[in-house]
Amino acid sequence: MKKRDHIDKTPARLDFLQSATGIILALFISGHILFESSILISNNAMYNMTQFFEGYYFLGSKHPMIITALATTVLLIIIVHAILAMRKFPSTYRQYKMIREHTLRMNHHDTSLWIIQVVTGFAMFFLASIHLYIMISQPENIGPYASSERIAVDMMWPMYLLLLFAVVIHAGVGVYRLILKWGLFEADQQKFMKQRRALIRTIMYFIVTLYLVVGVASLWRYMSIGYEHDFDDGARYHPVSELPQKVQK
Ligand code: HEM
């Protein structure tokens, strides 16, 4: 039997699966924050976006169950991604101390980024679960007024703010580390490698900052709607053109 037949490919396969689920989640969140920032354009824009995801434009009526199905799928991908990532978490205080000392001594950017990813990933175990549970159980409660009420009146904004920072930083650092890991955009010569890494890192910081600004601005807009609007009658947002019709979310 040849020597290579003995090589266990499982770790490589698990690594690949972790990268693949990470890329899917990074793509999801970059779309999510942009779709959801439609509130910065207008209430109507966010309302139309919600209708789109509820299938109104291609099925002819609203089906909030689509949101439930989407959120459940995302949750399952997160669970797989997290289980695979946990293999690499420091499992004892001793391991953690060794990594910390190494990072401080070496002042090594990429190791510090890895620690940031572990911390943000851990925070998301809790924060993303809360958010996804609400999306799965109340898919019909999404819209300019419903979302603003949840964020401002139900005081969900601190959770969203923490989740926003955790997920954007986690995704940005994750994609940067994937680029290095799979050797994408590598320079031909060794002497250019450091500059290339620094360039990729600068682009990553720029994109992360951009997403944080958009995310905070959207959150701010939801909060101002939430504090300005009177929710006492329980009516949900609907465009002026639909006013005489049945009230919609
Ligand atoms: C299919 C699954 C998801 C749906 C349908 C969804 C939907 C929404 C909606 C409608 C909002 C506005 C606030 C509200 O109505 O409560 C929101 C906000 C937010 N979601 Fe999600 N979400 C999903 C998954 C996720 C995941 C997996 C993450 C991150 C791990 C995430 C992170 C956030 C963040 C950070 C905000 C606040 C954004 C901001 O500050 O602009 N969401 N989401």
Side-chain angles (χ1 to χ4, degrees):
M1 204 182 278
K2 281 184 216 148
K3 202 176 171 204
R4 66 163 187 265
D5 291 343
H6 293 291
I7 296 171
D8 182 5
K9 290 186 180 148
T10 315
R13 288 198 181 113
L14 294 181
D15 249 19
F16 176 76
L17 193 58
Q18 192 188 344
S19 301
T21 48
I23 286 289
I24 294 170
L25 291 170
L27 287 174
F28 169 80
I29 201 66
S30 36
H32 174 343
I33 292 178
L34 294 182
F35 296 142
E36 197 240 320
S37 71
S38 51
I39 197 71
L40 294 173
I41 302 173
S42 65
N43 285 357
N44 250 351
M46 199 259 171
Y47 175 82
N48 290 335
M49 193 61 79
T50 310
Q51 298 235 90
F52 172 80
F53 282 103
E54 287 177 340
Y56 182 76
Y57 299 116
F58 39 98
L59 298 174
S61 59
K62 301 192 337 163
H63 297 275
M65 278 307 284
I66 296 176
I67 306 273
T68 299
L70 186 64
T72 309
T73 309
V74 172
L75 182 62
L76 291 176
I77 300 175
I78 290 179
I79 291 172
V80 172
H81 183 73
I83 290 173
L84 293 169
M86 265 174 3
R87 294 173 304 151
K88 294 171 182 169
F89 276 25
S91 57
T92 60
Y93 181 66
R94 224 175 121 229
Q95 281 179 354
Y96 163 77
K97 266 197 91 174
M98 272 167 60
I99 295 168
R100 201 180 138 72
E101 275 161 21
H102 171 82
T103 314
L104 291 176
R105 201 169 45 240
M106 307 286 285
N107 189 19
H108 191 251
H109 264 112
D110 293 342
T111 318
S112 313
L113 287 180
W114 180 75
I115 291 185
I116 289 175
Q117 232 190 346
V118 171
V119 173
T120 50
F122 186 69
M124 277 198 291
F125 267 132
F126 309 100
L127 302 170
S129 311
I130 299 172
H131 177 43
L132 281 169
Y133 182 76
I134 297 172
M135 294 299 118
I136 290 170
S137 59
Q138 305 170 23
E140 68 291 346
N141 255 342
I142 296 175
Y145 290 169
S147 296
S148 300
E149 184 174 15
R150 183 168 29 248
I151 288 173
V153 184
D154 299 346
M155 284 294 288
M156 289 293 282
W157 65 265
M159 196 285 294
Y160 277 123
L161 197 59
L162 289 175
L163 179 59
L164 175 71
F165 275 79
V167 74
V168 171
I169 292 172
H170 189 89
V173 172
V175 170
Y176 165 75
R177 295 186 68 242
L178 272 187
I179 289 174
L180 297 193
K181 180 172 177 174
W182 299 104
L184 305 172
F185 309 118
E186 251 174 26
D188 295 338
Q189 293 174 35
Q190 192 66 26
K191 61 179 178 177
F192 293 127
M193 287 286 281
K194 246 183 151 173
Q195 282 139 291
R196 189 63 65 92
R197 267 185 185 208
L199 176 68
I200 300 173
R201 216 164 30 226
T202 308
I203 296 173
M204 184 266 287
Y205 287 140
F206 176 74
I207 296 175
V208 164
T209 310
L210 203 68
Y211 267 93
L212 287 178
V213 170
V214 171
V216 170
S218 313
L219 212 50
W220 187 264
R221 181 75 198 118
Y222 284 112
M223 281 172 69
S224 38
I225 297 171
Y227 286 119
E228 282 159 14
H229 186 75
D230 180 4
F231 294 99
D232 281 352
D233 61 0
R236 292 310 188 198
Y237 179 84
H238 47 106
V240 178
S241 58
E242 288 178 16
L243 263 177
Q245 296 172 12
K246 210 175 126 224
V247 172
Q248 301 187 40
K249 295 251 182 248

